[in-house]
Amino acid sequence: MAGQSGMVDPAIFEDLQARVDEDTAVRDELKDIIQALEKHNRTISFVLSRAHSTPVANLSSVLISAQDSIQNAVETVAKLSQSASKLPYYKFNSMWSRQVQDAIFGILFWGWLGGYKPTGSTPKCGRLLTVEELGEILKVPVNLKDRDEFHLTIEEYLQALISLVEELSRLARNSVTLGDYERPLLINQFVKDVLAGFQILNLKNDSLRRRSDGLKYKVKDVEDVVYDLSLRDLLPKKVEE
Amino acid sequence: MTDAKADPPSSPYLAMFERFRAELDEHHDRRERIIKASRDITAASKKIIFTLQRVRNLGEPVPQFVVKSNTQYWGAIQKQYQAISVDLQGLNRHRYRQITGGNQEFMEALSFQHYLETQTLISYDAAKARIAAMSGEGGAVELTPEDYVLGIFDMVGELMRFSITSMATNGKLPAGRPNKDKRLKQEPPEEQAGDKMDIDEQTAISAEAPEPRNVLNDLRELRLRLEMFEPPQEGKFQDDVEQKMKVMRQCVDKVEKALYSLTVRGKERPKGWLPAASEDKRAAVESY
C-alpha cells in the first residue's frame, strides 16, 4: 500500500488497466488470423458452389480446386490454434467460433461430394466426415477435456452439420435440374439419418436448438423433390429394391 | 447401441449422436448448477449489503450485530462457491459466464464491508484471493477483472446510500478517524474510547494534521479512478461500463447535493430533520 494517501491504492487500477489492455492486444492479434480464415472460407464456398451446376461426372475438377483453398484454411487454423492455445480457450472462442464452423462446413460439403480420400479407401459421394476426421484434416484436437488448448467443439461440428443439410437440400433440387435423378435419393436418405441423430439430442434454448428446429423443413424440401420425381416416374429403377 | 432407440430405423449416425448427447447433457447440467449458484450468491450478497447499511462508523470492524446477522450469508456464499468450483476448472474456467452475476454482487458486498472497516478499496488480488479461499478444495473460482470493476461500480451506489442515511440521521457525512493510521495500529479500537478520542483529537489536530477523509472525499477519488479507467473499445464489458458510469456519476452527484443542502440550510433546521428525504421529494415535484 505504499504511496497511498487516499482511499484507492493507485496500483489497483494500473494493474487492472494493464490486464484489460493485454486482452485487447491479444484480441487484435487473433482478429487478423480470423479474418484470413474468413477469406479462405469464402473461397472454399465459392469453389464448391460450382457443384450446384456441375454434373457428378465432372465434379472431380471442382473438388480438386477446392482442395487448394481448404489447404489454405488448414494452415490458417494451424496459426489460430498456435496463438489461441496460449490463452484460456473459452475466454476467446466466441471470436472465432463462427469462422471455424464455416471452415468445418466447407470441408464437410467437400467430403460429402467425394473429395475426401482417406488412405486405403476409395472416395465416395454421400459420406459424412466425423468430427475426428475433421480434426485430422484440420490438424487440431477435437472435443478436448483434459487440457485448455485450441480444439474443435461438438457444438461447432453440429452447427456445420446443419449448414450441410441446408446446402444439400438446395443441391437436391439443382441435381434434378442437371438431369441427375439419383442424387436426390442419396441426399434424402442422408438428411433423414442426420435428422434422426439430432432428434435424440436434448438441446437447450440456444442457437443450436433454434437452427436444428429448422432441419425438418429442409428434410421436407428434399422429400418433396423425391416425391415430384416419383410422381413422374423419374426415379432410377435400381434404387427401388 | 443403435438399437436402444427403436423408433427411427437405425440411422448410421446414431451411435455418434448418442456420444454427443452424453457430452451436451453434461455441459447443460454444469451450466444449470452454475446459474443456480450464481443466483444464490447474488441473493446472499444482497442480504449482506442490506445489513451493512445499518453500520454508522467508518474505519473500524463492523459491529457485532452485523457480524452475527451476516455470518450465515457468508457461509451460504462459501457453500455455493464450493459446490461449483469443480465445474469451473481447467478448460471450463471461462466457459460458464453465468457466474458473472454472482461474482459482481459478491464483489459489491465484499468491497463495501472492506471499505466500512478500513476506508480503503479492496484490491483485485485480495478479492480474487478471497473467492479462491471460499472455493475450497475444488480449486479457485475465477474472478475476472471485469467482474471486479463492475462490482466496484455498484459499490458506489452503496456508499451513496450509506452517506445519505448518515446525513439524515446524524446530520453529518461519515468520516474516518483523525490520524487513524497511527492510532489504530497501536491500540485496537474500543467503542467508547474510540468515540472520545475522535472528539478530542478533532479539535486538537485540526491545526497541524489534515482533516480525516470523509465518504465524499473517497467517492470523488473513486469516481476519478473509474473515469480514468479505459475499457476495451468493443464488447459487452464496454457497454456495461458505459451504463454503470452514468449511474455512478449520479450517485456521487446525489451525495454532493445532499451535502450542499445540509450546509446551506442545515443550520436552520431542528435536529432530527431529514434533509435528504425532503430534498428528494422536492426534486421530484420540481421536475414535473
Side-chain angles (χ1 to χ4, degrees):
Chain A
M1 291 269 167
Q4 174 176 359
S5 58
M7 169 199 187
V8 183
D9 179 356
I12 295 177
F13 279 91
E14 280 162 24
D15 168 58
L16 287 170
Q17 191 67 61
R19 284 170 196 270
V20 169
D21 291 348
E22 200 190 310
D23 274 6
T24 307
V26 164
R27 278 177 201 278
D28 287 345
E29 191 197 320
L30 289 173
K31 243 181 248 169
D32 290 342
I33 306 176
I34 293 164
Q35 262 166 21
L37 180 59
E38 209 167 80
K39 208 175 124 220
H40 297 317
N41 287 339
R42 268 199 294 271
T43 316
I44 297 172
S45 94
F46 173 76
V47 174
L48 285 180
S49 71
R50 274 157 53 199
H52 289 281
S53 53
T54 310
V56 175
N58 307 333
L59 209 53
S60 61
S61 70
V62 173
L63 294 176
I64 285 167
S65 52
Q67 210 153 344
D68 293 338
S69 23
I70 288 174
Q71 194 48 44
N72 289 334
V74 170
E75 279 159 25
T76 311
V77 168
K79 263 189 227 158
L80 177 61
S81 167
Q82 211 179 9
S83 298
S85 287
K86 293 177 234 155
L87 311 163
Y89 178 80
Y90 280 106
K91 187 168 173 188
F92 296 98
N93 81 318
S94 62
M95 285 185 71
W96 63 68
S97 189
R98 219 198 63 238
Q99 286 77 4
V100 167
Q101 277 166 37
D102 289 347
I104 296 176
F105 160 65
I107 298 170
L108 278 181
F109 189 32
W110 168 81
W112 193 92
L113 291 169
Y116 183 56
K117 298 180 189 66
T119 40
S121 76
T122 49
K124 78 178 206 291
C125 200
R127 193 173 192 285
L128 174 62
L129 298 182
T130 64
V131 66
E132 285 81 11
E133 284 168 332
L134 279 158
E136 277 167 35
I137 294 169
L138 286 168
K139 302 195 183 89
V140 289
V142 162
N143 192 26
L144 272 188
K145 285 183 177 182
D146 51 346
R147 52 187 206 278
D148 192 354
E149 283 175 20
F150 182 85
H151 62 282
L152 304 183
T153 65
I154 287 175
E155 285 93 337
E156 284 161 355
Y157 178 73
L158 290 172
Q159 292 277 9
L161 192 46
I162 294 171
S163 305
L164 178 66
V165 170
E166 290 167 357
E167 187 76 9
L168 289 179
S169 81
R170 190 181 151 221
L171 185 65
R173 284 191 300 271
N174 293 333
S175 300
V176 175
T177 318
L178 285 171
D180 183 348
Y181 303 148
E182 205 165 322
R183 201 157 52 174
L185 286 172
L186 183 65
I187 293 173
N188 188 36
Q189 189 58 51
F190 179 83
V191 296
K192 278 196 168 127
D193 288 343
V194 171
L195 179 66
F198 269 95
Q199 278 170 336
I200 69 162
L201 299 179
N202 306 313
L203 295 174
K204 297 289 178 228
N205 222 352
D206 53 13
S207 75
L208 200 52
R209 166 68 177 274
R210 281 191 293 280
R211 284 193 72 208
S212 74
D213 279 349
L215 275 181
K216 51 182 178 290
Y217 302 110
K218 295 296 162 187
V219 172
K220 189 178 169 294
D221 284 349
V222 179
E223 269 171 2
D224 288 349
V225 172
V226 174
Y227 173 74
D228 283 343
L229 291 177
S230 76
L231 202 63
R232 292 162 181 80
D233 206 20
L234 291 170
L235 290 179
K237 292 288 174 275
K238 54 173 179 169
V239 190
E240 291 170 271
E241 300 157 38
Chain B
M1 275 293 260
T2 41
D3 296 335
K5 292 264 162 186
D7 23 332
S10 61
S11 152
Y13 311 125
L14 230 42
M16 177 178 91
F17 273 94
E18 268 163 10
R19 223 165 27 113
F20 292 166
R21 177 173 61 188
E23 297 271 345
L24 291 176
D25 285 354
E26 231 176 81
H27 161 66
H28 292 309
D29 288 350
R30 268 196 301 267
R31 209 183 58 172
E32 247 146 62
R33 279 198 292 275
I34 288 158
I35 290 171
K36 194 187 164 296
S38 179
R39 256 203 307 259
D40 290 353
I41 291 169
T42 304
S45 300
K46 278 188 198 297
K47 287 185 178 128
I48 288 174
I49 292 168
F50 188 77
T51 317
L52 286 175
Q53 282 295 356
R54 290 163 60 199
V55 173
R56 290 291 162 264
N57 296 327
L58 210 50
E60 60 185 43
V62 292
Q64 204 49 41
F65 77 88
V66 174
V67 175
K68 218 172 142 191
S69 144
N70 277 348
T71 302
Q72 53 172 318
Y73 300 124
W74 292 109
I77 293 172
Q78 179 161 2
K79 219 177 99 197
Q80 294 300 332
Y81 273 127
Q82 271 172 10
I84 54 160
S85 63
V86 183
D87 291 327
L88 289 168
Q89 297 307 310
L91 178 63
N92 291 337
R93 199 153 42 101
H94 294 275
R95 188 171 189 177
Y96 301 98
R97 297 305 299 137
Q98 290 82 5
I99 190 61
T100 193
N103 275 351
Q104 282 179 37
E105 200 71 29
F106 176 75
M107 256 327 296
E108 191 180 332
L110 184 67
S111 57
F112 186 33
Q113 172 153 354
H114 184 91
Y115 175 78
L116 290 176
E117 295 192 319
T118 66
Q119 219 192 339
T120 58
L121 179 71
I122 189 168
S123 73
Y124 171 58
D125 290 328
K128 204 173 155 165
R130 183 67 181 268
I131 292 188
M134 291 178 101
S135 309
E137 288 169 2
V141 171
E142 178 100 349
L143 174 73
T144 63
E146 287 84 355
D147 288 345
Y148 171 84
V149 171
L150 296 175
I152 299 302
F153 267 108
D154 290 341
M155 196 258 294
V156 171
E158 299 310 324
L159 293 191
M160 181 270 287
R161 277 173 55 198
F162 174 63
S163 312
I164 301 279
T165 315
S166 178
M167 280 188 273
T169 50
N170 300 340
K172 61 173 179 148
L173 261 179
R177 290 139 180 278
N179 263 351
K180 171 179 76 119
D181 289 341
K182 275 186 213 156
R183 287 287 171 162
L184 273 186
K185 267 165 204 162
Q186 284 165 7
E187 39 191 288
E190 289 163 46
E191 295 293 321
Q192 282 309 97
D195 280 345
K196 267 190 195 133
M197 184 178 76
D198 223 353
I199 297 156
D200 289 349
E201 283 188 6
Q202 214 147 28
T203 42
I205 275 170
S206 56
E208 57 204 55
E211 291 260 309
R213 286 180 287 124
N214 62 29
V215 185
L216 184 56
N217 298 141
D218 291 338
L219 274 172
R220 283 176 179 150
E221 190 190 345
L222 195 51
R223 171 180 176 155
L224 203 71
R225 297 287 173 193
L226 291 170
E227 283 176 340
M228 292 289 287
F229 179 73
E230 226 180 301
Q233 290 309 297
E234 59 189 327
K236 187 174 182 309
F237 180 50
Q238 191 202 16
D239 298 342
D240 288 348
V241 166
E242 229 166 76
Q243 179 236 327
K244 282 180 195 262
M245 191 73 81
K246 255 186 235 152
V247 178
M248 184 272 293
R249 288 194 180 116
Q250 283 167 1
C251 287
V252 181
D253 280 0
K254 269 184 198 166
V255 178
E256 285 175 345
K257 278 179 187 147
L259 183 63
Y260 161 82
S261 79
L262 191 72
T263 312
V264 171
R265 280 162 282 187
K267 287 179 190 120
E268 303 161 11
R269 287 170 181 160
K271 214 168 166 56
W273 215 76
L274 302 182
S278 77
E279 276 317 298
D280 275 357
K281 261 182 220 146
R282 200 191 172 93
V285 171
E286 276 168 358
S287 69
Y288 273 104

